[in-house]
């Protein structure tokens, strides 16, 4: 997103001005945000604003950083989609994108849904399939222990833990 003031640099700061019951949000680059902040401080200090004094009420300024996840994440190794493209399109390119955009995707899901993993009910068939798989894995674990195949038993134990915690298989 380009800066709304200079139309040149990338906007990384959300500059919010609250005046009375009026709220104005502007996306600015760091340089324009600094200039705007200095201008607002001058107005509050009683300096000469560029607007008539009758128009200036009590002004409150809130400055926040915009998310820069698109710059910090690498593109998906399978499909080449970037996080910025995902944000524009609203759909991931392939299953590998979940791993490629892990951290920002979890933050986004948490912000939207309140959690980054499923916490609700599971459809009956999916629940039954999960139980069957757990039962089968436990039987395989018992057999591996009886055969003294401890490495295989450890792998099965780890799979059981991942299933119980709801962590998808990699």
């Amino acid at each position: 997103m380009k800066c709304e003031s200079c139309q040149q640099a990338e906007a990384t700061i959300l500059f919010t001005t609250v005046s009375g019951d009026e709220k104005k949000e502007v996306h600015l680059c760091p340089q324009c945000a600094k200039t705007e902040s200095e201008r607002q401080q001058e107005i509050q200090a009683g300096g000469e604003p560029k607007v008539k004094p009758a128009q200036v009420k009590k002004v409150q300024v809130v400055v926040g950083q915009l998310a820069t996840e698109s710059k910090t994440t690498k593109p998906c190794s399978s499909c080449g989609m970037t996080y910025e493209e995902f944000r524009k399109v609203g759909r991931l390119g392939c299953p590998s994108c979940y791993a490629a955009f892990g951290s920002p995707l979890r933050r986004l899901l948490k912000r939207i849904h309140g959690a980054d993993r499923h916490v609700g009910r599971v459809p009956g068939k999916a629940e039954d399939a999960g139980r069957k798989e757990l039962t089968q894995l436990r039987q395989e674990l018992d057999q591996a222990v009886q055969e003294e195949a401890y490495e295989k038993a450890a792998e099965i134990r780890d799979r059981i833990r991942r299933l119980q915690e709801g962590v998808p298989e990699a």
Side-chain angles (χ1 to χ4, degrees), residues 6-140:
C6 68
Q7 300 293 323
Q8 304 268 328
E10 191 71 20
T12 57
I13 297 174
L14 177 63
F15 195 92
T16 306
T17 309
V18 181
S19 178
D21 59 349
E22 213 176 294
K23 179 179 175 183
K24 182 181 174 189
E25 292 185 348
V26 185
H27 295 89
L28 301 173
C29 66
Q31 184 62 39
C32 291
K34 182 179 178 189
T35 305
E36 181 65 20
S37 178
E38 289 169 355
R39 189 177 78 78
Q40 290 295 333
Q41 287 175 354
E42 184 179 310
I43 290 171
Q44 287 181 348
E48 280 298 312
K50 293 182 181 178
V51 294
K52 295 177 186 175
Q55 293 176 331
V56 179
K57 298 177 184 174
K58 185 173 182 180
V59 176
Q60 176 185 1
V61 178
V62 180
V63 179
Q65 291 290 333
L66 291 177
T68 56
E69 290 130 351
S70 59
K71 295 177 185 174
T72 60
T73 57
K74 297 176 184 172
C76 176
S77 59
S78 296
C79 67
M81 179 177 260
T82 63
Y83 187 75
E84 186 174 286
E85 289 172 1
F86 158 69
R87 297 219 15 146
K88 287 178 185 173
V89 175
R91 292 189 177 143
L92 294 171
C94 70
S96 300
C97 289
Y98 288 97
F101 309 135
S103 180
L105 199 54
R106 276 190 291 281
R107 283 194 300 271
L108 177 65
L109 289 172
K110 208 171 217 172
R111 190 171 67 233
I112 293 171
H113 299 291
D116 60 354
R117 62 179 82 216
H118 182 74
V119 292
R121 294 185 60 192
V122 178
K125 290 181 181 180
E127 193 172 330
D128 290 343
R131 286 184 189 160
K132 286 180 183 178
E133 187 176 0
L134 273 174
T135 304
Q136 181 183 359
L137 284 172
R138 287 185 179 127
Q139 290 172 351
E140 288 178 24

